[in-house]
Amino acid sequence: MQHVFLITQSDPRSPASEAFRLVRANLKFSQVQGSFKTILITSTGPEEGKSTLAANLAVTMAQAGSTVLLVDCDLRRPRLHRTFKLKNRLGLTNVLIRAQLWNQAVQTTDIPGLSLIPSGPIPPNPSELLGSEPMQEFLESAASEYDAVVLDTPPVVAVSDALVLAPLVDGIILVVRAGKTRVDQIMEAKKLLENANGRIVGAVINAAKPNGKSYYYYHYYSSDGKER
Amino acid sequence: MGTNGIDASFARAVDEVDLRAYLEVLFKWKWVIALITAAAVLTSAVLSYLVITPTYEAKAVLMVTQPAPEKPASSQNQQGTGVESVVESVSRLPEMTISTYVSQLKNLSVLEEVVKALNLSAKGISAQSLEKMIQVAAIKDTNLIELKVQSTDPTLASQIANTLSQRFLDFISQTNKQQLSKSVEFLDTQAQTGEGKLEAAKKALRDFQMQPRGVTFLEKQLDARIQDLSKYKTRLVDLQVQREQLAAGKAELERLLAATPKTIKVNNPLSSQSASSTTSGNAQTGGSGSKLVTVGDYEEINPAYATAAQMLDDRTVRLAETDAELAAVQKMANQLEAEVEAISAELASKRLEQDRLQREVDRWEKTQDLLNDKIVETQIARSINFGDTSLLLVSPAAPPAKPIKPNPRLNMAVAAVLGLMVAVVLSFVMEMLDNTIRTADDVEKRLGLPVLGTVPFFKPAE
């Protein structure tokens, strides 16, 4: 399992950080068609960069002066608490079973303006929990308190968690890993999300990790200069 | 939407992207390529070193000492081409060009002998399978023939090579001997029949010459006749000249006679006129010397006239004689001429016949000479061992120390190249079959979704 790396925090000048900021900007432009505060991030399969995008997007938003709540909705393989070096004793699960008020599950990160609700203890029935009443309530109130709420979810094709959440959020971002994500699967995912009344804002392409341990690779998908 | 910038940059980079894409593909699959290549090399190494039994090759070299000229240019363009070339072709050795030897070296009967000699059937080698072990080739621009034998057993390979060359030499001399024996036989029979023909021709000539009225006889006869004819002809000319003279003389005399008075009047000048007329009349009646004694005149016969008349008579007689002779000679000459002509014709036809017979005899004699020469030549040739003189075993085969097959290095190199090619092709095929999202383009075309951003790969700097 890859460790989620906050490049936007450690190296804001890197091309990658630049790309995350571009995502943020594009998202902001897309809001003309209707505001969306709650953003769900998913993909077709594991290891495609959902959590990385969620975390880094949240960081860039916070850096731009927004108040951002990052929610780890991956109740199967939660990772975000580790990214921000926080504890996962208490989290979303507790909120969803109404054992906790949601704002008590919020933890502040060392990035100003960015807060996190980790997954909490892993439940036996994540889909059901995520589709429950408390989740809807939590999202509504969180959206009213924060400028943006970013949800990290499990992949679409494997489990239905993201589909359950799709109608509850304002916008969905599909993460595509170049050279890994299959065309037929991503199309399937798109169809499923649309059928579930989800509103897909757009896709973010994650460049494939070069094979092997070589440090050499083409900046083939480099977004360098794409704005200039 | 913010994606237009991306599109533009892609359009600009399309050419670059092509080559890059290929390199990218190769780079992406480099481990697969390396692995397949390595596997191929390893497989070929294992096969070459451990699995395949090594094959050895023994090599013998034969030298053709008397290679037949590729095509003998007609050296003698005389009249001898007819019979001579026929006889030549019969008595000639089979024309063995180098390529003939090369193809003959794999002659099955020779191979059978080799199989027997080395008891190869015990090793499960038949003549047919032996043929597959053998390679024969003429070395270019030389009169050397290379004989290569491949076998898994090095000593056997060399044995086969040497035995085969030896057997082949024997085989060649044997076939040559046979061929030459046949030629001698043939030539002998030819010579015998030719002899008979020659005798017959000679006899015909002799018979012809012994016939009556032969050529020589006729020639002599003709000569005699021609001589006679010329004699007659000269005689004829003489006679004609003589006759001319006589005729001229006769005319002269007649004129003289006319001018001469028959009688001489002696002292009687009166009747001179009448006398003259009488004289002429008298002269016309043949000038009989009757003496007219006219009364009144005394006349006397003119002596000059009498002499002239006498001479004229004489001439006339001689002229008649000459004419008769002339006619006779003329007739004789004509007869002779006809005879000469007949004899000439006969002689010509006889001569023609004789020449023909003579030619026949000459022709047969010539043929016989030729045949006899050839017989001697062929007999000499037969007594020489041709197999050893026309072919030589220059270098006998030694048991090879190193196997020629497999060549592990070559095999591995080939395997490496093949493996690499297959791997590269395979990686491109995989790439083609790979239906993953690559570019922002793909997303927009396939999904109809805007691309919010493209995040390059980054490594956690831990």
Side-chain angles (χ1 to χ4, degrees):
Chain A
M1 190 184 284
Q2 283 281 321
H3 187 68
V4 175
F5 179 56
L6 289 175
I7 193 164
T8 44
Q9 186 192 11
S10 63
D11 187 4
R13 295 250 173 118
S14 67
S17 307
E18 194 65 51
F20 287 121
R21 280 197 289 277
L22 178 64
V23 175
R24 185 196 67 200
N26 278 328
L27 205 56
K28 205 169 179 179
F29 290 130
S30 311
Q31 292 202 13
V32 175
Q33 296 148 5
S35 70
F36 31 75
K37 284 193 163 182
T38 51
I39 296 155
L40 182 146
I41 292 171
T42 189
S43 74
T44 60
E47 306 288 317
E48 290 184 330
K50 292 180 296 292
S51 303
T52 305
L53 177 66
N56 281 292
L57 185 61
V59 170
T60 54
M61 285 172 165
Q63 281 169 344
S66 310
T67 53
V68 187
L69 176 63
L70 181 58
V71 186
D72 195 344
C73 295
D74 192 342
L75 303 183
R76 296 158 195 272
R77 289 173 166 184
R79 302 201 280 180
L80 289 174
H81 58 278
R82 248 181 268 154
T83 308
F84 294 96
K85 300 184 179 68
L86 297 170
K87 290 208 166 57
N88 193 17
R89 218 172 30 81
L90 184 76
L92 186 61
T93 318
N94 311 77
V95 175
L96 295 184
I97 58 173
R98 298 195 192 274
Q100 209 76 27
L101 282 174
W102 71 266
N103 38 22
Q104 286 179 318
V106 174
Q107 301 181 44
T108 50
T109 63
D110 45 14
I111 292 145
L114 178 57
S115 310
L116 171 78
I117 297 185
S119 67
I122 293 176
N125 50 350
S127 301
E128 281 175 42
L129 283 183
L130 290 171
S132 65
E133 192 76 25
M135 183 73 197
Q136 212 171 328
E137 290 167 10
F138 152 66
L139 279 177
E140 277 168 17
S141 56
S144 63
E145 283 203 25
Y146 287 87
D147 293 335
V149 180
V150 180
L151 310 182
D152 182 19
T153 63
V156 174
V157 179
V159 290
S160 58
D161 302 14
L163 296 180
V164 169
L165 290 174
L168 309 180
V169 295
D170 300 333
I172 300 168
I173 296 177
L174 274 176
V175 178
V176 174
R177 180 147 221 158
K180 190 178 176 209
T181 306
R182 280 170 47 189
V183 175
D184 55 336
Q185 287 191 341
I186 192 75
M187 283 171 89
E188 175 72 7
K190 182 189 172 218
K191 212 169 75 187
L192 286 171
L193 289 168
E194 281 172 347
N195 289 349
N197 282 328
R199 184 175 163 203
I200 302 171
V201 186
V204 171
I205 298 172
N206 243 333
K209 183 179 63 168
N211 298 328
K213 293 193 172 82
S214 166
Y215 289 92
Y216 158 86
Y217 69 101
Y218 274 106
H219 272 278
Y220 186 63
Y221 301 100
S222 169
S223 62
D224 242 359
K226 281 194 177 169
E227 277 194 310
R228 288 159 220 164
Chain B
M1 290 295 290
T3 53
N4 292 344
I6 297 168
D7 283 346
S9 76
F10 261 94
R12 269 203 308 277
V14 151
D15 296 346
E16 233 175 315
V17 163
D18 255 3
L19 181 61
R20 275 186 173 188
Y22 291 134
L23 288 172
E24 173 75 13
V25 169
L26 290 182
F27 188 77
K28 182 174 164 188
W29 296 98
K30 65 180 181 287
W31 293 114
V32 173
I33 293 170
L35 203 75
I36 290 176
T37 310
V41 172
L42 192 72
T43 310
S44 82
V46 167
L47 284 177
S48 305
Y49 282 112
L50 306 173
V51 179
I52 300 172
T53 43
T55 304
Y56 294 87
E57 184 179 79
K59 193 166 75 176
V61 180
L62 297 162
M63 185 163 72
V64 182
T65 48
Q66 300 179 337
E70 284 310 310
K71 202 69 209 130
S74 48
S75 48
Q76 295 157 309
N77 257 347
Q78 298 153 358
Q79 70 213 74
T81 45
V83 181
E84 223 164 282
S85 63
V86 172
V87 174
E88 193 69 54
S89 69
V90 171
S91 64
R92 202 185 301 132
L93 275 171
E95 253 190 46
M96 297 295 259
T97 56
I98 292 188
S99 44
T100 317
Y101 284 123
V102 168
S103 51
Q104 279 293 306
L105 254 169
K106 283 187 161 190
N107 183 312
L108 265 183
S109 63
V110 179
L111 294 182
E112 292 280 10
E113 279 184 29
V114 173
V115 170
K116 266 198 210 111
L118 293 176
N119 193 18
L120 292 177
S121 43
K123 295 192 173 77
I125 300 171
S126 66
Q128 280 81 4
S129 60
L130 183 62
E131 193 194 353
K132 292 193 181 78
M133 296 161 65
I134 296 167
Q135 270 191 311
V136 187
I139 304 172
K140 205 172 178 298
D141 300 332
T142 64
N143 46 5
L144 296 178
I145 297 174
E146 248 185 357
L147 169 67
K148 291 177 179 170
V149 181
Q150 292 190 359
S151 161
T152 49
D153 177 351
T155 38
L156 185 67
S158 65
Q159 272 178 344
I160 289 172
N162 289 333
T163 315
L164 178 60
S165 346
Q166 201 44 61
R167 291 288 147 145
F168 184 63
L169 297 189
D170 297 348
F171 171 76
I172 291 289
S173 37
Q174 207 184 337
T175 48
N176 279 337
K177 268 193 184 138
Q178 276 174 1
Q179 170 79 14
L180 289 170
S181 298
K182 265 191 208 154
S183 304
V184 169
E185 244 170 72
F186 174 80
L187 290 171
D188 271 342
T189 54
Q190 283 299 308
Q192 275 164 16
T193 54
E195 201 67 52
K197 287 257 170 59
L198 177 62
E199 282 309 315
K202 277 181 173 163
K203 191 167 172 302
L205 183 64
R206 265 203 310 277
D207 287 354
F208 177 77
Q209 279 166 341
M210 278 159 74
Q211 275 172 7
R213 294 181 67 83
V215 173
T216 34
F217 170 79
L218 284 172
E219 274 171 352
K220 278 184 182 142
Q221 208 180 27
L222 185 68
D223 275 354
R225 290 280 186 285
I226 286 171
Q227 265 171 18
D228 288 355
L229 184 62
S230 66
K231 270 185 207 154
Y232 277 104
K233 283 233 167 102
T234 31
R235 178 86 192 117
L236 199 63
V237 171
D238 285 351
L239 283 171
Q240 271 163 347
V241 171
Q242 210 178 323
R243 187 182 176 284
E244 296 287 310
Q245 281 172 348
L246 285 170
K250 191 183 164 198
E252 190 70 33
L253 282 170
E254 278 172 348
R255 262 200 320 278
L256 191 70
L257 212 51
T260 314
K262 221 171 171 181
T263 52
I264 303 166
K265 284 180 188 162
V266 183
N267 297 330
N268 194 6
L270 294 173
S271 52
S272 59
Q273 265 181 334
S274 63
S276 80
S277 70
T278 322
T279 308
S280 60
N282 219 3
Q284 276 162 356
T285 51
S288 59
S290 59
K291 290 163 186 147
L292 295 169
V293 182
T294 50
V295 185
D297 267 330
Y298 165 71
E299 281 186 357
E300 203 175 89
I301 292 173
N302 190 349
Y305 182 85
T307 321
Q310 180 66 41
M311 273 175 79
L312 182 62
D313 285 350
D314 187 42
R315 283 287 156 90
T316 312
V317 171
R318 274 175 62 192
L319 188 60
E321 276 173 6
T322 308
D323 270 343
E325 197 181 348
L326 196 61
V329 169
Q330 183 67 59
K331 196 178 154 197
M332 201 67 200
N334 285 351
Q335 201 183 323
L336 268 177
E337 228 160 48
E339 228 172 290
V340 164
E341 232 164 79
I343 292 173
S344 287
E346 194 182 354
L347 182 61
S349 74
K350 286 267 160 106
R351 266 206 187 124
L352 212 64
E353 181 63 13
Q354 179 169 314
D355 283 356
R356 194 179 62 74
L357 288 166
Q358 188 63 53
R359 267 207 309 277
E360 192 76 0
V361 170
D362 288 353
R363 200 158 57 83
W364 282 111
E365 264 175 351
K366 204 167 163 191
T367 310
Q368 282 309 97
D369 287 351
L370 199 72
L371 279 169
N372 288 332
D373 284 357
K374 272 292 158 194
I375 288 171
V376 172
E377 249 176 63
T378 317
Q379 275 166 340
I380 291 169
R382 186 175 52 177
S383 64
I384 296 169
N385 187 353
F386 252 100
D388 292 346
T389 50
S390 57
L391 262 184
L392 269 181
L393 182 55
V394 181
S395 70
K402 270 188 169 174
I404 59 141
K405 274 194 297 195
N407 181 344
R409 280 187 184 176
L410 181 69
N411 288 359
M412 279 155 76
V414 170
V417 170
L418 280 179
L420 195 64
M421 274 164 56
V422 167
V424 167
V425 169
L426 195 71
S427 59
F428 274 100
V429 168
M430 305 262 269
E431 196 63 24
M432 300 285 286
L433 292 176
D434 173 12
N435 63 340
T436 58
I437 296 273
R438 307 292 172 82
T439 60
D441 244 14
D442 290 347
V443 173
E444 283 172 0
K445 273 187 199 149
R446 294 304 194 75
L447 300 176
L449 289 176
V451 176
L452 302 176
T454 303
V455 182
F457 171 75
F458 59 93
K459 288 180 81 77
E462 282 175 293

